[in-house]
Amino acid sequence: MDAFYASVELLRYPELRGRPVVIGGGSRHRPAAVVDPASGETLRTFSTLERYAGRGVVTTATYEARALGVHSALGLMKAAALAPQAVLLPTDFEAYRRMSACFKAAVRAHYPLIEDRGIDEIYVDLTDALAAAGIGGTDRIGGNDGTDTGTDAEARRTFARQAAATMKRAVHEATGLSCSVAVAPNKLLAKIASDLEKPDGLVVLQRDDIERRIWPLPVRRINGIGPKSDARLEGLGIRTIGDLAAADPAVLVRHFGQSHGAWMHEAAHGRDERPVVTHSEPRSISRETTFERDLHARHDRAELSRIFTQLCERVSDDLVRKGYAGRTIGLKLRYDDFHTVTRDCTLVEPTQDAVHIRRAAGECLKRVPLERRIRLLGVRIGALHPAALPWPSAALRAADVPAPSHAFPTLFD
DNA sequence: TCTGGGGTCCTAGGACCC
DNA sequence: TCTGGGGTCCTAGGACCC
């Protein structure tokens, strides 16, 4: 989806279209609605970035705001310096989640094999649809087997364009929003290509296009190469994906390890065999909060304790709502110098209970230094287990254990 | 005036087991 | 002066993504 949160807000406040708008900060400052008694027209007053003071970051900026240098993850104070007149709207996750479900359902109605990639992104597997269209058999678009020739390549390109156009139309009809779609031989290439013509993009990328369209791009555009890898590659004189493709794989392995180094080489050549995963179970659930001012374990004990308990309750609520229980309780602390520590401990049996979670997280807290002031506190639960299924009790486990092997008698047999 | 919140996956060492 | 070879689970941190 294009500038997703901001685009959802523009549906609500169409009068902001064309203005730089930034989504971020807390859930305060909803625009005030005023009805003009003369015309009956609804007028709203929006707050601008100008007088913002606080710890928030930009979650999404409209393209007009991006033109001023305001982008996701930028601190709102810095954003205010760049674009004081930009309108600031609070994030409304509930609205975005609803719209997210809506656009995903619209795509799913045409192509059922979709992989969720967070609130505003999906992968779609078109392999079956391609076969159903009678093109290229079970081959993927672009083929993994070399270059396309003649009419087959043309038929695939036409199919890809039509599939992408169908998705874009379905999403627009369901939500009124634009998105960018790329059809490519695999997820890695589709992800990179979907950014090439944003916003409202439609890209069909085949193997033959990699040299011309992918290799000139910076390595950072590869999903999985972040700021750290980017900086280290830069140190090796590798800036573009083409540079990375030309690099000696042995050098990459030496600098980044066997697994990561080999993966980088493959990625630069556009190779990726990951399937589209249409179902997955959550691994962990967490809640965290950054305080408006840094708190001290001793001086602000009561307030910290209240927030701590609240976080545990929210994790517990999430577990119950989603139908999970977990065994590993984790604590996260960020100090005023931004240094972050975590501690966790694993219980014998999974729990959903806020009191159990609070007690376990409290034990974790005892293992963490508390001299410095704290800016963030978080509670996490992992090793999740469906709440409906009974956790094997000691008695059940004993019944499942096979009879002791005579080959390896032990003291306890 | 620094830097949100919710996630995933990987690595690496140590404990422990057979 | 020497000390296996697997395996799993747990913990802490870090990179990365949306």
Side-chain angles (χ1 to χ4, degrees):
Chain A
M1 300 300 289
D2 300 324
F4 186 51
Y5 297 177
S7 302
V8 174
E9 295 295 349
L10 289 184
L11 288 178
R12 227 194 308 219
Y13 308 120
E15 63 267 44
L16 293 179
R17 257 172 222 289
R19 290 184 65 178
V21 176
V22 162
I23 316 299
S27 50
R28 304 159 291 260
H29 62 265
R30 269 277 133 213
V34 184
V35 178
D36 181 358
S39 65
E41 205 182 336
T42 303
L43 306 171
R44 293 191 187 85
T45 55
F46 296 97
S47 40
T48 57
L49 276 177
E50 209 164 11
R51 292 192 344 271
Y52 180 86
R55 310 195 122 163
V57 297
V58 175
T59 56
T60 319
T62 57
Y63 289 89
E64 289 81 359
R66 293 180 198 192
L68 300 171
V70 175
H71 50 83
S72 301
L74 185 70
L76 281 173
M77 299 303 269
K78 286 183 182 171
L82 291 170
Q85 295 310 309
V87 168
L88 172 66
L89 295 175
T91 45
D92 179 358
F93 282 104
E94 204 38 62
Y96 313 147
R97 264 194 291 270
R98 278 199 304 272
M99 202 60 91
S100 173
C102 193
F103 98 77
K104 287 170 187 174
V107 175
R108 201 182 277 114
H110 293 271
Y111 304 104
L113 302 183
I114 77 169
E115 174 177 336
D116 241 290
R117 292 302 301 184
I119 199 162
D120 73 336
E121 228 177 69
I122 53 175
Y123 287 112
V124 183
D125 190 341
L126 293 176
T127 313
D128 292 350
L130 180 67
I135 306 161
T138 56
D139 241 351
R140 289 162 150 189
I141 295 169
N144 283 330
D145 54 343
T147 43
D148 280 313
T149 52
T151 55
D152 221 27
E154 204 41 53
R156 285 176 182 180
R157 206 175 272 274
T158 303
F159 167 85
R161 282 203 123 7
Q162 285 173 350
T166 299
M167 288 182 220
K168 286 168 66 73
R169 198 182 322 115
V171 167
H172 191 264
E173 280 169 7
T175 65
L177 299 175
S178 78
C179 60
S180 297
V181 178
V183 185
N186 57 48
K187 295 203 291 188
L188 175 93
L189 290 171
K191 171 68 177 164
I192 298 173
S194 70
D195 267 338
L196 288 175
E197 294 180 8
K198 251 181 181 302
D200 203 18
L202 193 168
V203 174
V204 174
L205 189 107
Q206 296 184 286
R207 292 224 153 266
D208 300 356
D209 304 323
I210 292 175
E211 264 192 66
R212 185 174 54 88
R213 302 203 72 180
I214 303 298
W215 282 1
L217 302 173
V219 290
R220 190 71 176 73
R221 302 288 272 281
I222 292 174
N223 201 258
I225 296 185
K228 302 286 180 180
S229 300
D230 186 29
R232 289 168 66 192
L233 286 167
E234 172 97 54
L236 297 173
I238 296 170
R239 293 190 50 257
T240 68
I241 300 178
D243 293 340
L244 188 59
D248 180 356
V251 171
L252 296 177
V253 166
R254 192 155 59 241
H255 281 87
F256 296 93
Q258 175 55 240
S259 165
H260 201 219
W263 169 79
M264 278 180 175
H265 181 254
E266 290 297 292
H269 285 274
R271 293 190 283 262
D272 173 26
E273 297 290 319
R274 292 171 304 163
V276 170
V277 177
T278 56
H279 179 80
S280 71
E281 290 289 321
R283 300 284 198 270
S284 67
I285 288 171
S286 66
R287 289 286 182 167
E288 65 183 53
T289 186
T290 296
F291 314 132
E292 291 187 21
R293 60 177 185 93
D294 299 337
L295 300 179
H296 192 273
R298 214 169 345 95
H299 198 259
D300 304 298
R301 189 166 201 275
E303 190 173 0
L304 267 170
S305 176
R306 185 179 52 78
I307 295 168
F308 191 16
T309 301
Q310 221 171 279
L311 288 168
C312 295
E313 286 165 351
R314 293 178 71 186
V315 167
S316 169
D317 289 347
D318 293 344
L319 284 166
V320 171
R321 189 158 30 79
K322 297 177 179 175
Y324 291 94
R327 284 179 63 221
T328 304
I329 316 295
L331 175 81
K332 174 170 163 182
L333 240 69
R334 177 121 75 210
Y335 297 107
D336 54 3
D337 63 357
F338 222 70
H339 179 238
T340 306
V341 295
T342 64
R343 294 290 180 271
D344 59 53
C345 67
T346 299
L347 308 175
V348 176
E349 288 192 21
T351 186
Q352 297 185 301
D353 189 310
V355 173
H356 292 168
I357 295 169
R358 172 62 221 245
R359 193 181 305 141
E363 288 302 311
C364 292
L365 189 61
K366 293 180 183 167
R367 295 158 29 208
V368 122
L370 292 173
E371 286 76 46
R372 292 198 77 96
R373 287 186 173 272
I374 302 161
R375 66 174 285 139
L376 171 149
L377 184 63
V379 176
R380 197 184 81 96
I381 187 157
L384 298 183
H385 182 84
L389 297 178
W391 176 253
S393 69
L396 280 171
R397 271 202 306 277
D400 289 338
V401 172
S405 157
H406 295 291
F408 297 103
T410 73
L411 284 175
F412 304 102
D413 278 347

